[in-house]
Amino acid sequence: GESVGLHLPTLSVQEGDNSIINCAYSNSASDYFIWYKQESGKGPQFIIDIRSNMDKRQGQRVTVLLNKTVKHLSLQIAATQPGDSAVYFCAEELSNDYKLSFGAGTTVTVRA
Amino acid sequence: DTGVSQNPRHKITKRGQNVTFRCDPISEHNRLYWYRQTLGQGPEFLTYFQNEAQLEKSRLLSDRFSAERPKGSFSTLEIQRTEQGDSAMYLCASSFQEHGDYEQYFGPGTRLTVT
């Protein structure tokens, strides 16, 4: 079975609002987590990453939160824009394992 | 464009035929990965190379699949005797493993349709 998964398959957001995308993982040995954005017909695009020794990391308009106690990862997008419409995947990497394990993804649709 | 490139972008083939895909990683990236993605799912790991050495293969990679990276630069993924279940997007990614930099950069993928 999958060790990484997302809580909701779809998310509809009003333009300008903040988005929160959630992800649960089950492998406590994972020590590196990444959020990817995938637009139709394209490969996954790196958004932000976080290591297990951190609980929060901020980028441009995005924040990733890691709660190791409950094995939960979230991606917050501030002031969601139409260009943010895509499928978002969380992925995990086991320590020294190098390969990524992806969840099924959340499709984010931004309403004008 | 200095990103990961993949060719062809689309391939339609008849069941039983062989196909080969190419991936050109970001220059000087020492690691190269192949993933497969079916509709509505996240990518699944197939195999990865460090330089020219193939270090790990997933159980998903049956004996009909073979991947090479002969000079530690570009890589090819060949599928022999294709089956309809092989229809998927085949993604390549590369990374430069140094000082804990793990970020994998993905290419646009090759979409395979087996009829």
Side-chain angles (χ1 to χ4, degrees), chain A residues 9-111:
Chain A
T10 61
L11 179 67
S12 181
V13 182
Q14 185 69 39
E15 181 179 358
D17 287 353
N18 297 334
S19 304
I20 299 176
I21 307 167
N22 296 304
C23 174
Y25 66 96
S26 60
N27 195 331
S28 58
S30 295
D31 70 347
Y32 178 61
F33 304 88
I34 315 99
W35 281 99
Y36 282 93
K37 171 186 179 183
Q38 188 172 27
E39 296 173 285
S40 181
K42 297 183 179 180
Q45 177 187 359
F46 174 91
I47 301 173
I48 192 168
D49 59 0
I50 189 167
R51 300 209 65 83
S52 59
N53 61 353
M54 303 171 68
D55 53 20
K56 180 178 180 179
R57 192 166 186 217
Q58 289 184 292
Q60 186 177 12
R61 281 202 308 119
V62 294
T63 301
V64 56
L65 299 177
L66 176 63
N67 185 330
K68 294 181 287 294
T69 302
V70 295
K71 299 189 184 71
H72 184 267
L73 191 70
S74 69
L75 176 71
Q76 299 176 2
I77 304 173
T80 312
Q81 302 169 358
D84 295 328
S85 293
V87 181
Y88 290 80
F89 294 98
C90 66
E92 65 176 333
E93 183 178 297
L94 298 174
S95 178
N96 297 322
D97 196 18
Y98 314 126
K99 61 180 180 286
L100 297 175
S101 177
F102 286 81
T106 291
T107 299
V108 173
T109 302
V110 180
R111 305 188 306 271

Side-chain angles (χ1 to χ4, degrees), chain A residues 36 38 41 51 98-99, chain B residues 9 31 37 48 56 102 104:
Chain A
Y36 282 93
Q38 188 172 27
R51 300 209 65 83
Y98 314 126
K99 61 180 180 286
Chain B
R9 294 292 310 277
R31 288 200 169 152
Q37 185 177 26
Y48 95 94
E56 187 171 345
Y102 294 92
Q104 294 184 24

Side-chain angles (χ1 to χ4, degrees), chain B residues 5-70:
Chain B
S5 62
Q6 293 187 246
N7 288 288
R9 294 292 310 277
H10 303 274
K11 178 71 177 177
I12 299 174
T13 191
K14 292 185 178 180
R15 188 177 56 184
Q17 297 295 304
N18 300 342
V19 294
T20 300
F21 310 141
R22 177 178 170 127
C23 170
D24 287 90
I26 293 172
S27 179
E28 299 183 358
H29 273 192
N30 57 350
R31 288 200 169 152
L32 187 147
Y33 311 79
W34 285 99
Y35 291 83
R36 182 174 70 186
Q37 185 177 26
T38 54
L39 198 61
Q41 301 298 314
E44 297 174 291
F45 170 80
L46 292 178
T47 187
Y48 95 94
F49 294 81
Q50 177 148 331
N51 300 313
E52 66 276 6
Q54 188 174 17
L55 297 186
E56 187 171 345
K57 294 192 290 186
S58 162
R59 287 190 297 268
L60 294 174
L61 215 64
S62 75
D63 56 6
R64 296 185 297 105
F65 288 69
S66 62
E68 295 182 344
R69 194 184 183 198

